[in-house]
Amino acid sequence: MQSCHHRPLSFSASGQPHAYRPTSSRSAPSALRYRARAIAVSAAGRPNATSSGEGQLQQQLREEVEQEEEETGGGNDIEIPAKATHVTVVDGFLAGTAAEDLRGVFDAHHAEPRRVHEYRFVWDYWHVPGQYTLLRTPAADYFPKEQYDDLEAALLTYARRELGCAGVTPVWLSCYVDGCRQELHADVPHGPWAFVLSLTRWEARRFTGGETFVMRPEVLDYWRGFDADAVVERGSLVQQVEPLFNRMTVFDPRLPHGVSIVEGTRDPREGRLVLHGWFNEPAPFFSGALTEEAAEPTLAAALPPLYAALAELPRARGMLTLRLSVNPRGAVEKVAWLADSLVPSPGDELPSPTEIRDAIMLEIAGTMMDTAFPAAEGPSEITMPFMFD
C-alpha cells in the first residue's frame, strides 16, 4: 500500500498505487467507465483477493456504462497521457525585459575585473571531488530586492497554476566556467520538481558543455525493454537540454541528473549562468469565481473515498496534478492533466505499468468529474495536486 497526500486542505489518505509506462494517448468516456476499469485493475493487483463481490460490482458498472452511453452518446472524453512527463521546457519564461534585467545586474558587477566591491566576494566555490564544481551564491542576496521579488513571484505563479505547488525554495545563482560540472546525482528531499532558469548567452557562448542532462526513466528499468540489436549511446541514456537564454527547465529531481563539464572559458561573463531551485508545498490553486473556502467542504467529502479507492490499487510513487474547469453551476466540464511524474513500483504479480497508471488516473478523473461544487458567479479553474509515496 502507499499513501496519497493532498496537503493543501489537510486531507490525507493511506495507500495508492500507480504505474508508469504508457503507450499512445487514449481517450476514455464516462466516469463510470473509469471506475469500472480501475476496479478491474485493483482486483488483478491482489492475487489473493476474492472475485465474487468485485465481479458483481464490475458487472453492475458495466451495465450502467452501457445505459449511460445509450443516453448520452458516450459523455465527455478525457485524454489519458501516454507517458509521465519528467522534463518540461518553457522558453521565454520571464516576461518583458525581466531576464535581461537580471542578466544586466550580473554583467554590471563583472564589467571591470579590477574593480573591488562587495558583490565580487559573495561567490562560494563549491567543490566536492568527483561530484560538484561550480560557483554559487544566494540569488536573494545578489539581486536588488524588487527584481528578486518579481522573479520569485513569476516562479510561484507558474508553480501554483501548472504544478500545484505553493512554494519555492530559496533560489541559487550559479556560474560555470572552465572545469565546472555536476556529475549524476538525485536531490529528492527538496521538492517534487526542480527547475533551472538560464541567464546564459547561449547563442554567443565561447565554451562547450553546460547542458543539463537527465537520465531517461527507461534506463532505470533497463532490462525490461532491452533490445540486443539497438545501438546504445549517450542520447539513448540521457535527455540533454541546452540552457538557452530565458529558458526554464522543470524536471523530476528523483531522476539522476547533472550538468555537462564546461570547457573553454575562465571568464564568468562568458560562462554558464543559471538560476535554480525546487518547487515544493503541493497545494490546490483556485482561480475564478469559486473560492477555496467555498470549495473546501465539497473536497472534504469527495477526497477521502477517492483516497480509499486509490489505496486498493498497486503501489506507485510520484506526483500527479490536474486542472478542473468548473462552470458557474458548479459542474466540472473539463479535466486537463498537468504535472505528471507517476512511476509504478515493480512487481511480478501486478498488471502492466500502463494498466496501473491508467487505473489511477481514471479513478481520479471519474471522481473529479462527478464532484459538484457550489454555484458561483462565474467560471473557475482548480489546480489539484496528488502526491503518491
Side-chain angles (χ1 to χ4, degrees):
M1 303 283 277
Q2 115 181 354
S3 60
C4 170
H5 302 287
H6 188 243
R7 294 188 178 90
L9 300 178
S10 302
F11 300 130
S12 64
S14 135
Q16 165 178 346
H18 319 52
Y20 145 75
R21 208 192 259 178
T23 54
S24 57
S25 292
R26 301 164 292 286
S27 36
S30 164
L32 288 170
R33 175 170 289 177
Y34 301 157
R35 210 151 285 125
R37 187 170 180 186
I39 289 171
V41 173
S42 173
R46 301 196 310 276
N48 298 325
T50 59
S51 60
S52 58
E54 287 165 339
Q56 293 174 4
L57 180 55
Q58 289 179 54
Q59 178 60 32
Q60 178 185 345
L61 286 169
R62 201 174 297 116
E63 293 172 357
E64 292 180 13
V65 167
E66 292 173 357
Q67 179 180 352
E68 181 186 86
E69 290 184 343
E70 288 180 4
E71 295 174 354
T72 67
N76 295 326
D77 284 356
I78 293 180
E79 286 290 322
I80 304 298
K83 292 184 178 182
T85 303
H86 295 278
V87 180
T88 298
V89 174
V90 183
D91 285 325
F93 175 73
L94 293 175
T97 63
E100 286 288 353
D101 293 344
L102 290 168
R103 175 70 203 215
V105 172
F106 177 85
D107 288 341
H109 289 332
H110 291 272
E112 177 48 62
R114 291 183 175 85
R115 183 185 171 202
V116 177
H117 56 80
E118 57 185 311
Y119 290 101
R120 301 298 296 271
F121 296 93
V122 299
W123 294 94
D124 168 36
Y125 178 68
W126 190 37
H127 177 67
V128 178
Q131 190 63 62
Y132 309 108
T133 302
L134 57 126
L135 295 160
R136 62 179 185 173
T137 189
D141 298 333
Y142 190 84
F143 295 105
K145 183 179 186 304
E146 184 177 353
Q147 282 183 266
Y148 181 80
D149 288 348
D150 289 345
L151 167 67
E152 190 174 60
L155 292 169
L156 284 172
T157 297
Y158 177 87
R160 289 168 178 150
R161 180 166 176 79
E162 303 299 331
L163 305 177
C165 289
V168 60
T169 63
V171 180
W172 288 98
L173 175 68
S174 291
C175 181
Y176 294 67
V177 291
D178 192 72
C180 291
R181 73 185 80 182
Q182 290 195 41
E183 298 296 345
L184 280 172
H185 65 284
D187 34 35
V188 180
H190 303 294
W193 297 101
F195 70 88
V196 178
L197 174 57
S198 177
L199 299 179
T200 307
R201 302 291 190 190
W202 186 253
E203 299 301 333
R205 69 190 182 280
R206 299 176 64 181
F207 61 87
T208 60
E211 301 89 354
T212 298
F213 60 90
V214 183
M215 184 173 289
R216 297 188 183 277
E218 51 268 28
V219 175
L220 301 177
D221 194 13
Y222 187 73
W223 297 110
R224 185 187 295 270
F226 180 73
D227 182 356
D229 296 324
V231 175
V232 178
E233 296 178 339
R234 181 182 175 88
S236 306
L237 303 175
V238 299
Q239 179 176 348
Q240 192 162 273
V241 183
E242 297 179 335
L244 302 185
F245 186 78
N246 201 18
R247 164 179 282 180
M248 184 166 76
T249 304
V250 180
F251 61 93
D252 181 350
R254 300 173 302 169
L255 292 175
H257 57 276
V259 177
S260 300
I261 184 171
V262 169
E263 295 178 309
T265 184
R266 296 182 181 180
D267 188 336
R269 296 169 297 181
E270 298 175 351
R272 177 188 194 259
L273 185 68
V274 295
L275 296 154
H276 55 101
W278 296 265
F279 296 116
N280 55 19
E281 300 179 20
F285 174 70
F286 293 77
S287 63
L290 183 65
T291 65
E292 180 174 349
E293 292 74 20
E296 184 170 353
T298 300
L299 291 172
L303 290 176
L306 171 60
Y307 292 149
L310 293 173
E312 296 300 313
L313 294 171
R315 184 183 180 90
R317 290 188 170 95
M319 183 176 184
L320 179 65
T321 303
L322 63 162
R323 179 177 297 135
L324 311 179
S325 297
V326 184
N327 66 27
R329 299 185 306 277
V332 177
E333 291 188 334
K334 181 180 178 182
V335 172
W337 306 103
L338 301 175
D340 176 5
S341 63
L342 279 183
V343 179
S345 298
D348 294 335
E349 301 295 328
L350 297 176
S352 73
T354 301
E355 288 292 316
I356 299 171
R357 175 182 167 83
D358 283 355
I360 290 167
M361 300 180 78
L362 296 175
E363 189 70 52
I364 294 173
T367 297
M368 292 294 98
M369 286 194 69
D370 278 351
T371 300
F373 290 95
E377 295 183 355
S380 307
E381 290 186 338
I382 308 174
T383 302
M384 292 283 296
F386 293 85
M387 292 291 297
F388 300 90
D389 52 34

